[in-house]
Amino acid sequence: MIPSFRWFGPTDVVTLQHIRQAGARSVVTALHDHSCGSLWSREAIANHRQLVENADMKWHVVESLPIHESIKQGKPESERYLEIYAESMRNLAAEGIDVICYNFMPVTDWTRTELAHPLSDTSTVLLCDGAGLAAFERHVLDLGDLETRYSADELLAGDQLWETLDDAAKDRLTSAILLGLPGTVDNLSPTEFKSMLADYDGIDAATLRSNLVRFLEYVTPIAEEIGITMAIHPDDPPRPLFGLPRVLSTGDDFQKIVDAVPSKANGLTFCSGSFGGRLENNPVEIFERFAERIPFAHFRNVQFLNEDTNTFCESPHLDGRVDMIALVEALRNEEQRREEEGHSCPLIPVRPDHGRELIDDSTKQSYAGYSYQGRAIALAELLAIEKTLNRTSLKG
Ligand code: DNO
């Protein structure tokens, strides 16, 4: 494993020095001050890389080079955005980046209903509550087609929850769901959000998938030529929301993407927490199934609070439905396989994805999910599992 940590750039309260002290050797970052669809110049990338290297770490993985909505929607203006994307890819490769993480979720990135759900030890985590989402869709967005997407019981649970909330709690739910992309602090308004949803009228999962395939057919030959792997991030939560289509919620979904574009540059950002948010997904099996196509991984744990309504919260890395030890073992097996195959860099960058927020974290304005101490503990746990497995295999 290449121990890695996400950094949101010079304005992040979690500084490169914090990150280095947590044991990271690789920084996962992006030009967060660049808006989606703008060109990343070689100079801007080089300056960012220099900051990372000055702090004694490397920049291998970009997370994310975001995809403009026109590409996801297959609009004519997507041509221009594809060209800009390709140029940014070339500039990134020229500055030594190996992996580009991106997602193809329409409108939103990850979605949660509560940003500070307390665990029994009083630390807090992110929560995704099925009833909260149903309540938001009905009472905040006032969407019309809910009966086609929610069962009567789920809608009832949403209504019952909504009735228990006071105005402040309703605002908290709304702003948690509408939180901007990671690395930004802007919240969308419900009206802006609704108009973005409307842009997807008539785009179903098959259309979204073919727009993704078109994107990959355009970028993967370039990626192969310049030595970059494209690594798509799964849907989080791994199911459709707000009536929007989703195309990467399960292992079979990824298989379809690989079948359509078999290029070696078509890779997966394996995320144990995202896949783990769906009962029938077994994250370790998904890792093993696609191991050869995983150039980068997010390790995080989750636990279901109510299996009927798709409610889960994040949990300490060693304590949840993801078998973290088996996952690190699967990672090591793949790294060994790469080593035997003679890969120049067989180790895979892994970052603890979100972490718990502990007392000292709560005094800092870090991005939701990206506390320092919670993630530092998680990284230490992952490294300890790896060391233990190394020792056991030496003895064995
Ligand atoms: C959540 C992250 C995602 C991820 C993007 C990749 O914290 O794992 O936001 O960065 O989906 O494009």
Side-chain angles (χ1 to χ4, degrees):
M1 152 180 356
I2 303 179
S4 309
F5 221 82
R6 193 170 194 180
W7 181 56
F8 288 110
T11 59
D12 194 339
V13 294
V14 180
T15 66
L16 288 167
Q17 197 182 353
H18 285 97
I19 293 175
R20 181 70 187 88
Q21 288 186 3
R25 302 315 322 251
S26 173
V27 172
V28 173
T29 185
L31 301 186
H32 285 283
D33 56 349
H34 284 45
S35 61
C36 180
S38 61
L39 177 70
W40 290 19
S41 71
R42 181 148 181 202
E43 191 192 358
I45 298 166
N47 290 341
H48 204 68
R49 180 174 60 74
Q50 200 55 57
L51 296 176
V52 171
E53 290 184 0
N54 290 348
D56 186 33
M57 290 175 289
K58 293 274 182 230
W59 184 16
H60 299 285
V61 181
V62 164
E63 178 174 355
S64 303
L65 183 57
I67 316 277
H68 195 264
E69 290 289 301
S70 68
I71 299 177
K72 298 181 202 165
Q73 292 161 7
K75 293 233 174 94
E77 63 266 34
S78 61
E79 296 301 326
R80 190 162 68 84
Y81 288 106
L82 284 172
E83 283 166 19
I84 295 172
Y85 202 93
E87 202 175 331
S88 298
M89 286 171 67
R90 290 187 193 282
N91 291 341
L92 285 165
E95 288 301 321
I97 298 297
D98 303 312
V99 179
I100 294 176
C101 166
Y102 68 100
N103 75 73
F104 220 75
M105 290 178 252
V107 181
T108 62
D109 193 300
W110 56 271
T111 303
R112 296 290 185 270
T113 55
E114 198 181 329
L115 305 179
H117 171 73
L119 296 179
S120 56
D121 64 6
T122 74
S123 62
T124 65
V125 292
L126 306 180
L127 169 83
C128 184
D129 177 8
L133 286 166
F136 172 79
E137 290 200 30
R138 195 195 304 263
H139 299 282
V140 180
L141 296 183
D142 195 19
L143 296 182
D145 57 346
L146 297 182
E147 283 72 18
T148 61
R149 297 187 285 106
Y150 285 96
S151 70
D153 284 351
E154 286 168 340
L155 287 175
L156 181 65
D159 292 344
Q160 285 171 341
L161 172 74
W162 190 252
E163 275 174 23
T164 65
L165 303 180
D166 61 18
D167 286 350
K170 287 177 182 166
D171 285 350
R172 268 201 310 280
L173 172 73
T174 302
S175 55
I177 296 176
L178 294 179
L179 186 75
L181 301 180
T184 73
V185 285
D186 315 321
N187 278 18
L188 296 167
S189 73
T191 316
E192 285 165 333
F193 188 71
K194 247 183 124 165
S195 94
M196 290 173 82
L197 296 185
D199 290 337
Y200 281 84
D201 282 352
I203 301 182
D204 60 8
T207 310
L208 184 68
R209 187 175 304 109
S210 67
N211 294 342
L212 169 59
V213 167
R214 181 172 160 263
F215 167 74
L216 284 167
E217 282 171 343
Y218 184 89
V219 295
T220 50
I222 301 168
E224 283 186 32
E225 175 201 322
I226 61 183
I228 271 197
T229 308
M230 298 300 299
I232 190 168
H233 187 281
D235 303 327
D236 185 3
R239 58 196 166 86
L241 297 180
F242 317 120
L244 293 167
R246 297 278 224 191
V247 289
L248 184 45
S249 299
T250 65
D252 288 346
D253 284 345
F254 186 60
Q255 187 64 55
K256 285 186 197 148
I257 298 168
V258 170
D259 291 344
V261 185
S263 160
K264 278 211 154 98
N266 180 10
L268 174 68
T269 295
F270 173 83
C271 178
S272 59
S274 300
F275 284 125
R278 183 170 174 133
L279 193 56
E280 68 264 32
N281 283 346
N282 177 332
V284 177
E285 276 175 22
I286 295 177
F287 187 97
E288 287 170 338
R289 178 171 172 192
F290 298 109
E292 294 185 15
R293 286 203 181 255
I294 298 173
F296 168 48
H298 292 173
F299 283 1
R300 159 162 79 78
N301 222 326
V302 286
Q303 63 192 36
F304 288 113
L305 300 184
N306 176 345
E307 292 178 5
D308 295 333
T309 57
N310 288 315
T311 296
F312 63 86
C313 71
E314 303 192 353
S315 56
H317 276 62
L318 300 183
D319 194 9
R321 73 176 296 251
V322 179
D323 183 342
M324 208 47 82
I325 296 174
L327 198 52
V328 176
E329 207 161 12
L331 177 93
R332 281 177 80 252
N333 290 342
E334 174 57 16
E335 290 177 337
Q336 266 166 22
R337 192 197 62 76
R338 290 182 193 188
E339 194 169 348
E340 281 155 21
E341 252 193 8
H343 279 227
S344 56
C345 179
L347 300 184
I348 301 172
V350 175
R351 70 171 181 83
D353 203 11
H354 313 154
R356 289 179 299 139
E357 196 169 285
L358 307 183
I359 295 171
D360 286 355
D361 289 323
S362 57
T363 61
K364 297 200 180 81
Q365 280 295 305
S366 53
Y367 296 106
Y370 290 90
S371 62
Y372 177 58
Q373 294 190 346
R375 283 185 299 155
I377 289 173
L379 184 60
E381 289 170 338
L382 296 175
L383 287 168
I385 297 175
E386 187 188 48
K387 282 230 169 197
T388 309
L389 292 173
N390 288 346
R391 175 169 295 183
T392 314
S393 78
L394 277 181
K395 281 192 179 152

